[in-house]
Amino acid sequence: LPAGLSQWFPALEVLDVSGTGLAEMGTELLSLPCLHTLLAKNNRLGGPGSLPKGLGQAPLARSLRVLNLSGNRFSEVPPELLQVRGLRSLSLGGNRLHSIPPDIQELRSLEFLYLGGNFIMAIPPELAKLPSLRYLVLCDNKIQSIPPQLAQLHSLRSLSLHNNLLTYLPREILNLVHLEELSLRGNPLVVRFVRDLTYNPPSLQELAGRTVKTRNVPYAPSDLPDSLVRYLSLASNCPNPKCGGVYFDSCVRQIKFVDFCGKYRLPLMHYLCSPECSTPFSSASQSSTSQSESDSEDEASVAAHRMQKVLLG
């Protein structure tokens, strides 16, 4: 970038340097107090020094709202970007990313996040801590599962997951109340029930924790070590409505297929607290399992009515 840029164009608001072969952006950018949109697609950015040092403390970090770095050579999300707290749109598609840093949660103003066309294998639960996120694009990666925490993205309207390695979806995805578009084509979604599911017996700590939570044993933070207080806060409720139990680390994974949009049967992953919640051999559990399935189908029908566009094929 030319020296003296901020002197020549002190009121510059939009800068497009896409397709210019750019390998680094210098410190001239830092003193552009009005720049809100920076487009630098299809360049050679990604090596050491690609972004100017001190970005997080510069005037640019306060003004920038839209940043597009797609089609470059970044192998990781630059830490400097995570300090630009006012970003509303971030595009890093078509780079060489293998992961999403947990610190992505610092971009709490983000509304649009494009990470398609990379080599990402996992989604960190921290991504769910973006309260304003409306559009999330993770297509054309190598993602194998979706963390159930994504159901906390209450503002999400569009979720693109096509061309990944998904075999199931978390049941909690039905809780995305504003979701209108869901793209799943090109994933090896499972085509039959998984019957031989492993179950590791709960540890003594988990058994004690389950007892505390299910019997509402009173305790105060001053009564227990901090580690146990944190552990007890991680209890998950068993989705079986006839159970009322909780689980921590030990659970039964069970895939249920539910009708969706009157055409598709989506595989949704359920996490149950024990094998008794899923086995068909006792009348009680059989009753509860059918109730759980019914609940899932009711949830799916509500989601299907809400969803405007579902792409599976």
Side-chain angles (χ1 to χ4, degrees):
L1 294 178
L5 185 64
S6 60
Q7 297 177 1
W8 299 339
F9 306 103
L12 190 66
E13 296 183 356
V14 179
L15 177 61
D16 188 351
V17 290
S18 301
T20 58
L22 200 64
E24 65 178 58
M25 292 189 284
T27 57
E28 304 82 27
L29 283 174
L30 300 182
S31 52
L32 290 171
C34 301
L35 189 68
H36 58 71
T37 300
L38 175 57
L39 310 177
K41 303 179 292 182
N42 304 323
N43 283 301
R44 295 185 291 120
L45 298 168
S50 291
L51 299 181
K53 292 181 179 180
L55 176 60
Q57 292 74 43
L60 179 64
R62 295 188 291 272
S63 65
L64 199 59
R65 297 292 179 265
V66 177
L67 178 60
N68 192 326
L69 295 173
S70 292
N72 280 283
R73 303 176 181 181
F74 290 101
S75 58
E76 63 178 14
V77 177
E80 303 94 314
L81 294 187
L82 304 178
Q83 300 175 24
V84 186
R85 304 293 168 79
L87 270 182
R88 294 177 184 168
S89 174
L90 174 61
S91 300
L92 280 164
N95 276 274
R96 303 171 182 178
L97 305 179
H98 284 80
S99 64
I100 304 172
D103 286 345
I104 194 79
Q105 64 182 310
E106 301 298 331
L107 301 180
R108 296 184 61 81
S109 298
L110 211 56
E111 299 177 5
F112 177 90
L113 178 59
Y114 190 105
L115 297 173
N118 282 286
F119 303 94
I120 298 168
M121 301 180 66
I123 302 172
E126 289 81 2
L127 188 62
K129 297 181 179 179
L130 298 176
S132 303
L133 196 63
R134 294 161 60 90
Y135 301 92
L136 176 58
V137 181
L138 295 167
C139 60
D140 301 292
N141 278 287
K142 299 181 181 297
I143 299 168
Q144 300 182 42
S145 63
I146 304 299
Q149 289 87 349
L150 282 197
Q152 299 169 20
L153 291 172
H154 300 302
S155 298
L156 199 64
R157 295 185 178 274
S158 178
L159 177 59
S160 296
L161 294 167
H162 52 272
N163 298 331
N164 277 286
L165 302 175
L166 297 171
T167 55
Y168 65 87
L169 297 175
R171 178 191 186 190
E172 290 81 359
I173 202 164
L174 299 177
N175 296 332
L176 292 171
V177 296
H178 293 296
L179 192 66
E180 298 173 351
E181 297 183 0
L182 174 63
S183 177
L184 292 168
R185 66 183 185 275
N187 281 282
L189 294 174
V190 290
V191 295
R192 63 180 181 276
F193 284 97
V194 178
R195 299 194 180 276
D196 298 326
L197 296 174
T198 59
Y199 174 66
N200 295 321
S203 64
L204 291 177
Q205 176 175 274
E206 172 141 354
L207 289 173
R210 290 186 180 197
T211 301
V212 169
K213 302 299 283 190
T214 56
R215 298 189 179 182
N216 295 316
V217 177
Y219 66 91
S222 58
D223 299 333
L224 301 171
D226 291 343
S227 59
L228 287 181
V229 173
R230 285 194 298 270
Y231 180 78
L232 289 171
S233 71
L234 297 175
S236 298
N237 293 321
C238 182
N240 187 332
K242 300 290 187 179
C243 174
V246 301
Y247 62 88
F248 293 86
D249 302 312
S250 178
C251 60
V252 176
R253 301 189 337 150
Q254 184 178 50
I255 291 177
K256 294 183 182 295
F257 288 82
V258 297
D259 291 327
F260 202 83
C261 293
K263 183 176 181 180
Y264 306 106
R265 289 182 65 77
L266 283 185
L268 302 183
M269 180 65 80
H270 291 223
Y271 295 89
L272 304 171
C273 69
S274 71
E276 286 72 24
C277 283
S278 60
T279 179
F281 297 116
S282 71
S283 59
S285 61
Q286 191 170 17
S287 163
S288 63
T289 301
S290 63
Q291 178 67 43
S292 181
E293 288 179 357
S294 174
D295 287 352
S296 293
E297 290 170 359
D298 289 344
E299 288 176 314
S301 66
V302 172
H305 176 74
R306 186 177 66 235
M307 202 81 66
Q308 296 179 2
K309 187 176 182 182
V310 180
L311 302 175
L312 293 178

Tab-separated table of all heavy atoms in Angstrom, residues 41-92:
chain	number	residue	atom	x	y	z
A	41	LYS	N	-9.448	-9.404	-1.232
A	41	LYS	CA	-9.633	-10.769	-1.715
A	41	LYS	C	-8.582	-11.136	-2.755
A	41	LYS	O	-8.023	-10.275	-3.436
A	41	LYS	CB	-11.027	-10.912	-2.351
A	41	LYS	CG	-12.186	-10.560	-1.439
A	41	LYS	CD	-13.517	-10.705	-2.173
A	41	LYS	CE	-13.649	-9.651	-3.266
A	41	LYS	NZ	-14.964	-9.752	-3.963
A	42	ASN	N	-8.348	-12.456	-2.870
A	42	ASN	CA	-7.536	-13.006	-3.964
A	42	ASN	C	-6.171	-12.334	-4.088
A	42	ASN	O	-5.797	-11.817	-5.143
A	42	ASN	CB	-8.309	-12.898	-5.287
A	42	ASN	CG	-9.672	-13.572	-5.217
A	42	ASN	OD1	-9.824	-14.611	-4.588
A	42	ASN	ND2	-10.666	-12.969	-5.839
A	43	ASN	N	-5.455	-12.347	-2.984
A	43	ASN	CA	-4.092	-11.828	-2.959
A	43	ASN	C	-3.149	-12.907	-2.448
A	43	ASN	O	-3.465	-14.108	-2.512
A	43	ASN	CB	-4.036	-10.567	-2.085
A	43	ASN	CG	-4.595	-9.342	-2.791
A	43	ASN	OD1	-4.114	-8.951	-3.847
A	43	ASN	ND2	-5.627	-8.735	-2.219
A	44	ARG	N	-2.000	-12.500	-1.957
A	44	ARG	CA	-1.010	-13.449	-1.442
A	44	ARG	C	-0.772	-13.246	0.051
A	44	ARG	O	0.277	-13.587	0.575
A	44	ARG	CB	0.303	-13.300	-2.231
A	44	ARG	CG	0.166	-13.698	-3.706
A	44	ARG	CD	1.484	-13.665	-4.453
A	44	ARG	NE	1.981	-12.301	-4.623
A	44	ARG	CZ	3.136	-11.857	-4.152
A	44	ARG	NH1	3.912	-12.649	-3.437
A	44	ARG	NH2	3.525	-10.613	-4.369
A	45	LEU	N	-1.771	-12.717	0.718
A	45	LEU	CA	-1.664	-12.479	2.153
A	45	LEU	C	-1.708	-13.804	2.931
A	45	LEU	O	-2.359	-14.753	2.507
A	45	LEU	CB	-2.811	-11.586	2.620
A	45	LEU	CG	-2.878	-10.180	2.002
A	45	LEU	CD1	-4.212	-9.522	2.313
A	45	LEU	CD2	-1.720	-9.326	2.510
A	46	GLY	N	-0.997	-13.840	4.030
A	46	GLY	CA	-1.023	-15.041	4.852
A	46	GLY	C	0.285	-15.342	5.551
A	46	GLY	O	0.323	-16.077	6.532
A	47	GLY	N	1.358	-14.781	5.071
A	47	GLY	CA	2.658	-14.994	5.695
A	47	GLY	C	2.875	-14.076	6.878
A	47	GLY	O	2.032	-13.227	7.203
A	48	PRO	N	4.012	-14.227	7.558
A	48	PRO	CA	4.337	-13.333	8.683
A	48	PRO	C	4.348	-11.869	8.234
A	48	PRO	O	4.877	-11.541	7.173
A	48	PRO	CB	5.733	-13.791	9.112
A	48	PRO	CG	5.841	-15.205	8.621
A	48	PRO	CD	5.063	-15.247	7.343
A	49	GLY	N	3.739	-11.013	9.005
A	49	GLY	CA	3.715	-9.592	8.673
A	49	GLY	C	2.675	-9.199	7.654
A	49	GLY	O	2.701	-8.067	7.155
A	50	SER	N	1.762	-10.118	7.330
A	50	SER	CA	0.728	-9.778	6.343
A	50	SER	C	-0.161	-8.639	6.822
A	50	SER	O	-0.591	-7.794	6.037
A	50	SER	CB	-0.139	-10.996	6.039
A	50	SER	OG	0.582	-11.972	5.334
A	51	LEU	N	-0.441	-8.637	8.110
A	51	LEU	CA	-1.254	-7.566	8.682
A	51	LEU	C	-0.368	-6.675	9.545
A	51	LEU	O	0.576	-7.153	10.174
A	51	LEU	CB	-2.385	-8.159	9.519
A	51	LEU	CG	-3.374	-9.060	8.769
A	51	LEU	CD1	-4.462	-9.549	9.714
A	51	LEU	CD2	-3.987	-8.338	7.581
A	52	PRO	N	-0.663	-5.399	9.599
A	52	PRO	CA	0.200	-4.479	10.350
A	52	PRO	C	0.153	-4.733	11.851
A	52	PRO	O	-0.891	-5.040	12.414
A	52	PRO	CB	-0.370	-3.099	10.006
A	52	PRO	CG	-1.778	-3.358	9.598
A	52	PRO	CD	-1.777	-4.700	8.936
A	53	LYS	N	1.302	-4.600	12.493
A	53	LYS	CA	1.366	-4.751	13.943
A	53	LYS	C	0.648	-3.584	14.620
A	53	LYS	O	0.621	-2.477	14.103
A	53	LYS	CB	2.823	-4.792	14.401
A	53	LYS	CG	3.571	-6.039	13.946
A	53	LYS	CD	4.999	-6.029	14.461
A	53	LYS	CE	5.751	-7.286	14.021
A	53	LYS	NZ	7.157	-7.286	14.521
A	54	GLY	N	0.101	-3.861	15.762
A	54	GLY	CA	-0.605	-2.813	16.495
A	54	GLY	C	-2.005	-2.560	16.012
A	54	GLY	O	-2.619	-1.549	16.376
A	55	LEU	N	-2.539	-3.481	15.214
A	55	LEU	CA	-3.875	-3.277	14.645
A	55	LEU	C	-4.929	-3.103	15.734
A	55	LEU	O	-5.824	-2.269	15.631
A	55	LEU	CB	-4.223	-4.466	13.741
A	55	LEU	CG	-5.622	-4.473	13.117
A	55	LEU	CD1	-5.825	-3.244	12.245
A	55	LEU	CD2	-5.831	-5.742	12.299
A	56	GLY	N	-4.829	-3.897	16.787
A	56	GLY	CA	-5.848	-3.861	17.826
A	56	GLY	C	-5.948	-2.550	18.571
A	56	GLY	O	-7.001	-2.231	19.136
A	57	GLN	N	-4.866	-1.757	18.581
A	57	GLN	CA	-4.863	-0.494	19.315
A	57	GLN	C	-4.994	0.728	18.400
A	57	GLN	O	-4.982	1.860	18.867
A	57	GLN	CB	-3.563	-0.357	20.123
A	57	GLN	CG	-3.428	-1.354	21.276
A	57	GLN	CD	-3.122	-2.759	20.805
A	57	GLN	OE1	-2.295	-2.932	19.914
A	57	GLN	NE2	-3.761	-3.747	21.399
A	58	ALA	N	-5.102	0.492	17.094
A	58	ALA	CA	-5.116	1.600	16.136
A	58	ALA	C	-6.534	2.131	15.903
A	58	ALA	O	-7.517	1.451	16.204
A	58	ALA	CB	-4.519	1.130	14.804
A	59	PRO	N	-6.648	3.355	15.371
A	59	PRO	CA	-7.974	3.889	15.030
A	59	PRO	C	-8.762	2.968	14.101
A	59	PRO	O	-9.986	2.890	14.197
A	59	PRO	CB	-7.646	5.231	14.358
A	59	PRO	CG	-6.337	5.637	14.952
A	59	PRO	CD	-5.577	4.366	15.155
A	60	LEU	N	-8.049	2.271	13.215
A	60	LEU	CA	-8.723	1.374	12.279
A	60	LEU	C	-9.524	0.299	13.013
A	60	LEU	O	-10.600	-0.101	12.560
A	60	LEU	CB	-7.686	0.721	11.359
A	60	LEU	CG	-8.230	-0.268	10.325
A	60	LEU	CD1	-9.137	0.439	9.337
A	60	LEU	CD2	-7.082	-0.960	9.580
A	61	ALA	N	-9.011	-0.188	14.127
A	61	ALA	CA	-9.699	-1.244	14.878
A	61	ALA	C	-11.039	-0.769	15.417
A	61	ALA	O	-11.935	-1.580	15.663
A	61	ALA	CB	-8.817	-1.726	16.029
A	62	ARG	N	-11.183	0.527	15.586
A	62	ARG	CA	-12.448	1.066	16.088
A	62	ARG	C	-13.445	1.364	14.979
A	62	ARG	O	-14.656	1.374	15.210
A	62	ARG	CB	-12.177	2.335	16.911
A	62	ARG	CG	-11.383	2.067	18.189
A	62	ARG	CD	-11.293	3.297	19.063
A	62	ARG	NE	-10.446	4.338	18.472
A	62	ARG	CZ	-9.136	4.411	18.649
A	62	ARG	NH1	-8.515	3.484	19.381
A	62	ARG	NH2	-8.429	5.382	18.107
A	63	SER	N	-12.941	1.602	13.763
A	63	SER	CA	-13.842	1.994	12.668
A	63	SER	C	-14.228	0.835	11.759
A	63	SER	O	-15.297	0.858	11.144
A	63	SER	CB	-13.179	3.093	11.820
A	63	SER	OG	-12.010	2.594	11.168
A	64	LEU	N	-13.390	-0.196	11.654
A	64	LEU	CA	-13.593	-1.254	10.666
A	64	LEU	C	-14.820	-2.097	11.006
A	64	LEU	O	-14.970	-2.585	12.130
A	64	LEU	CB	-12.346	-2.140	10.582
A	64	LEU	CG	-12.201	-2.996	9.321
A	64	LEU	CD1	-12.168	-2.118	8.071
A	64	LEU	CD2	-10.945	-3.854	9.398
A	65	ARG	N	-15.690	-2.279	10.008
A	65	ARG	CA	-16.903	-3.072	10.176
A	65	ARG	C	-16.938	-4.277	9.239
A	65	ARG	O	-17.516	-5.306	9.579
A	65	ARG	CB	-18.150	-2.202	9.930
A	65	ARG	CG	-18.302	-1.049	10.913
A	65	ARG	CD	-18.617	-1.555	12.307
A	65	ARG	NE	-18.741	-0.462	13.282
A	65	ARG	CZ	-17.758	-0.049	14.062
A	65	ARG	NH1	-16.551	-0.614	13.971
A	65	ARG	NH2	-17.942	0.928	14.928
A	66	VAL	N	-16.365	-4.146	8.056
A	66	VAL	CA	-16.399	-5.216	7.056
A	66	VAL	C	-14.973	-5.517	6.607
A	66	VAL	O	-14.243	-4.618	6.182
A	66	VAL	CB	-17.259	-4.815	5.823
A	66	VAL	CG1	-17.221	-5.920	4.761
A	66	VAL	CG2	-18.689	-4.520	6.248
A	67	LEU	N	-14.582	-6.793	6.711
A	67	LEU	CA	-13.234	-7.203	6.302
A	67	LEU	C	-13.352	-8.483	5.491
A	67	LEU	O	-13.872	-9.497	5.965
A	67	LEU	CB	-12.340	-7.426	7.520
A	67	LEU	CG	-10.907	-7.918	7.239
A	67	LEU	CD1	-10.158	-6.917	6.369
A	67	LEU	CD2	-10.163	-8.164	8.543
A	68	ASN	N	-12.850	-8.449	4.264
A	68	ASN	CA	-12.894	-9.617	3.385
A	68	ASN	C	-11.476	-9.986	2.980
A	68	ASN	O	-10.817	-9.255	2.240
A	68	ASN	CB	-13.749	-9.322	2.151
A	68	ASN	CG	-14.068	-10.589	1.362
A	68	ASN	OD1	-13.258	-11.517	1.290
A	68	ASN	ND2	-15.242	-10.623	0.769
A	69	LEU	N	-11.013	-11.135	3.488
A	69	LEU	CA	-9.674	-11.647	3.174
A	69	LEU	C	-9.762	-13.007	2.488
A	69	LEU	O	-8.836	-13.821	2.579
A	69	LEU	CB	-8.847	-11.757	4.460
A	69	LEU	CG	-8.531	-10.447	5.183
A	69	LEU	CD1	-7.859	-10.721	6.521
A	69	LEU	CD2	-7.650	-9.543	4.328
A	70	SER	N	-10.852	-13.263	1.801
A	70	SER	CA	-11.033	-14.549	1.122
A	70	SER	C	-10.038	-14.696	-0.026
A	70	SER	O	-9.571	-13.714	-0.614
A	70	SER	CB	-12.460	-14.668	0.586
A	70	SER	OG	-13.392	-14.769	1.643
A	71	GLY	N	-9.728	-15.959	-0.326
A	71	GLY	CA	-8.840	-16.227	-1.456
A	71	GLY	C	-7.401	-15.842	-1.205
A	71	GLY	O	-6.700	-15.438	-2.134
A	72	ASN	N	-6.935	-15.967	0.036
A	72	ASN	CA	-5.545	-15.687	0.355
A	72	ASN	C	-4.858	-16.953	0.873
A	72	ASN	O	-5.286	-18.067	0.520
A	72	ASN	CB	-5.464	-14.535	1.368
A	72	ASN	CG	-5.621	-13.173	0.697
A	72	ASN	OD1	-4.696	-12.666	0.080
A	72	ASN	ND2	-6.817	-12.587	0.829
A	73	ARG	N	-3.838	-16.818	1.703
A	73	ARG	CA	-3.029	-17.972	2.098
A	73	ARG	C	-2.916	-18.117	3.616
A	73	ARG	O	-1.944	-18.675	4.115
A	73	ARG	CB	-1.625	-17.850	1.479
A	73	ARG	CG	-1.650	-17.719	-0.040
A	73	ARG	CD	-0.265	-17.504	-0.614
A	73	ARG	NE	-0.293	-17.352	-2.068
A	73	ARG	CZ	0.792	-17.166	-2.825
A	73	ARG	NH1	1.993	-17.086	-2.251
A	73	ARG	NH2	0.675	-17.050	-4.130
A	74	PHE	N	-3.901	-17.655	4.332
A	74	PHE	CA	-3.859	-17.744	5.793
A	74	PHE	C	-4.047	-19.191	6.238
A	74	PHE	O	-5.001	-19.859	5.831
A	74	PHE	CB	-4.940	-16.863	6.419
A	74	PHE	CG	-4.682	-15.394	6.279
A	74	PHE	CD1	-5.330	-14.641	5.300
A	74	PHE	CD2	-3.784	-14.760	7.135
A	74	PHE	CE1	-5.088	-13.284	5.176
A	74	PHE	CE2	-3.541	-13.388	7.019
A	74	PHE	CZ	-4.191	-12.651	6.036
A	75	SER	N	-3.143	-19.671	7.073
A	75	SER	CA	-3.267	-21.021	7.634
A	75	SER	C	-3.913	-20.986	9.013
A	75	SER	O	-4.252	-22.031	9.573
A	75	SER	CB	-1.896	-21.696	7.728
A	75	SER	OG	-1.009	-20.918	8.518
A	76	GLU	N	-4.080	-19.814	9.572
A	76	GLU	CA	-4.793	-19.631	10.829
A	76	GLU	C	-5.442	-18.251	10.828
A	76	GLU	O	-5.025	-17.359	10.078
A	76	GLU	CB	-3.858	-19.756	12.036
A	76	GLU	CG	-2.775	-18.707	12.070
A	76	GLU	CD	-1.882	-18.828	13.300
A	76	GLU	OE1	-1.929	-19.862	13.977
A	76	GLU	OE2	-1.136	-17.867	13.587
A	77	VAL	N	-6.474	-18.103	11.629
A	77	VAL	CA	-7.110	-16.791	11.753
A	77	VAL	C	-6.126	-15.870	12.465
A	77	VAL	O	-5.697	-16.160	13.584
A	77	VAL	CB	-8.418	-16.887	12.550
A	77	VAL	CG1	-9.026	-15.495	12.738
A	77	VAL	CG2	-9.406	-17.810	11.849
A	78	PRO	N	-5.709	-14.776	11.815
A	78	PRO	CA	-4.712	-13.897	12.437
A	78	PRO	C	-5.185	-13.381	13.799
A	78	PRO	O	-6.298	-12.855	13.913
A	78	PRO	CB	-4.578	-12.742	11.440
A	78	PRO	CG	-5.061	-13.296	10.136
A	78	PRO	CD	-6.127	-14.291	10.483
A	79	PRO	N	-4.384	-13.559	14.837
A	79	PRO	CA	-4.791	-13.093	16.169
A	79	PRO	C	-5.134	-11.608	16.197
A	79	PRO	O	-5.973	-11.180	16.984
A	79	PRO	CB	-3.562	-13.405	17.039
A	79	PRO	CG	-2.827	-14.483	16.309
A	79	PRO	CD	-3.061	-14.220	14.858
A	80	GLU	N	-4.476	-10.813	15.336
A	80	GLU	CA	-4.742	-9.382	15.311
A	80	GLU	C	-6.208	-9.083	14.990
A	80	GLU	O	-6.790	-8.107	15.487
A	80	GLU	CB	-3.852	-8.683	14.281
A	80	GLU	CG	-2.364	-8.891	14.486
A	80	GLU	CD	-1.824	-10.052	13.665
A	80	GLU	OE1	-2.471	-11.123	13.671
A	80	GLU	OE2	-0.771	-9.896	13.031
A	81	LEU	N	-6.817	-9.934	14.149
A	81	LEU	CA	-8.204	-9.689	13.751
A	81	LEU	C	-9.160	-9.820	14.926
A	81	LEU	O	-10.211	-9.180	14.964
A	81	LEU	CB	-8.623	-10.677	12.651
A	81	LEU	CG	-7.925	-10.542	11.301
A	81	LEU	CD1	-8.579	-11.463	10.295
A	81	LEU	CD2	-7.947	-9.105	10.808
A	82	LEU	N	-8.801	-10.662	15.873
A	82	LEU	CA	-9.685	-10.906	17.012
A	82	LEU	C	-9.724	-9.721	17.961
A	82	LEU	O	-10.504	-9.710	18.913
A	82	LEU	CB	-9.243	-12.170	17.744
A	82	LEU	CG	-9.170	-13.421	16.859
A	82	LEU	CD1	-8.683	-14.609	17.654
A	82	LEU	CD2	-10.529	-13.724	16.226
A	83	GLN	N	-8.889	-8.713	17.693
A	83	GLN	CA	-8.897	-7.495	18.503
A	83	GLN	C	-9.726	-6.387	17.858
A	83	GLN	O	-9.918	-5.330	18.456
A	83	GLN	CB	-7.466	-7.008	18.719
A	83	GLN	CG	-6.578	-8.017	19.429
A	83	GLN	CD	-5.133	-7.549	19.513
A	83	GLN	OE1	-4.847	-6.357	19.461
A	83	GLN	NE2	-4.215	-8.490	19.636
A	84	VAL	N	-10.213	-6.643	16.645
A	84	VAL	CA	-11.053	-5.655	15.950
A	84	VAL	C	-12.490	-5.921	16.371
A	84	VAL	O	-13.280	-6.535	15.656
A	84	VAL	CB	-10.872	-5.747	14.425
A	84	VAL	CG1	-11.638	-4.614	13.724
A	84	VAL	CG2	-9.398	-5.680	14.049
A	85	ARG	N	-12.850	-5.445	17.557
A	85	ARG	CA	-14.084	-5.865	18.215
A	85	ARG	C	-15.348	-5.331	17.544
A	85	ARG	O	-16.438	-5.838	17.813
A	85	ARG	CB	-14.058	-5.423	19.680
A	85	ARG	CG	-12.844	-5.936	20.450
A	85	ARG	CD	-12.866	-7.447	20.611
A	85	ARG	NE	-11.616	-8.003	21.096
A	85	ARG	CZ	-11.231	-7.993	22.368
A	85	ARG	NH1	-11.988	-7.434	23.275
A	85	ARG	NH2	-10.091	-8.547	22.717
A	86	GLY	N	-15.218	-4.335	16.680
A	86	GLY	CA	-16.412	-3.786	16.037
A	86	GLY	C	-16.778	-4.461	14.729
A	86	GLY	O	-17.756	-4.067	14.088
A	87	LEU	N	-16.036	-5.492	14.310
A	87	LEU	CA	-16.315	-6.162	13.037
A	87	LEU	C	-17.728	-6.745	13.011
A	87	LEU	O	-18.149	-7.423	13.953
A	87	LEU	CB	-15.312	-7.294	12.799
A	87	LEU	CG	-14.017	-6.970	12.059
A	87	LEU	CD1	-13.195	-8.233	11.882
A	87	LEU	CD2	-14.274	-6.306	10.718
A	88	ARG	N	-18.419	-6.497	11.907
A	88	ARG	CA	-19.742	-7.081	11.715
A	88	ARG	C	-19.724	-8.161	10.643
A	88	ARG	O	-20.592	-9.038	10.632
A	88	ARG	CB	-20.743	-5.990	11.340
A	88	ARG	CG	-20.974	-4.981	12.460
A	88	ARG	CD	-21.914	-3.888	12.026
A	88	ARG	NE	-22.059	-2.870	13.054
A	88	ARG	CZ	-22.643	-1.693	12.857
A	88	ARG	NH1	-23.149	-1.397	11.671
A	88	ARG	NH2	-22.726	-0.819	13.856
A	89	SER	N	-18.747	-8.082	9.735
A	89	SER	CA	-18.648	-9.063	8.652
A	89	SER	C	-17.192	-9.451	8.471
A	89	SER	O	-16.332	-8.595	8.273
A	89	SER	CB	-19.212	-8.476	7.344
A	89	SER	OG	-19.006	-9.365	6.270
A	90	LEU	N	-16.915	-10.751	8.541
A	90	LEU	CA	-15.560	-11.261	8.364
A	90	LEU	C	-15.595	-12.425	7.389
A	90	LEU	O	-16.316	-13.404	7.594
A	90	LEU	CB	-14.975	-11.720	9.707
A	90	LEU	CG	-13.595	-12.405	9.641
A	90	LEU	CD1	-12.538	-11.458	9.075
A	90	LEU	CD2	-13.179	-12.891	11.025
A	91	SER	N	-14.807	-12.316	6.319
A	91	SER	CA	-14.725	-13.367	5.303
A	91	SER	C	-13.297	-13.857	5.191
A	91	SER	O	-12.384	-13.078	4.903
A	91	SER	CB	-15.210	-12.845	3.949
A	91	SER	OG	-16.556	-12.409	4.017
A	92	LEU	N	-13.131	-15.164	5.418
A	92	LEU	CA	-11.823	-15.801	5.271
A	92	LEU	C	-11.976	-17.087	4.460
A	92	LEU	O	-11.290	-18.082	4.715
A	92	LEU	CB	-11.219	-16.107	6.643
A	92	LEU	CG	-10.547	-14.926	7.366
A	92	LEU	CD1	-10.344	-15.241	8.837
A	92	LEU	CD2	-9.204	-14.588	6.722
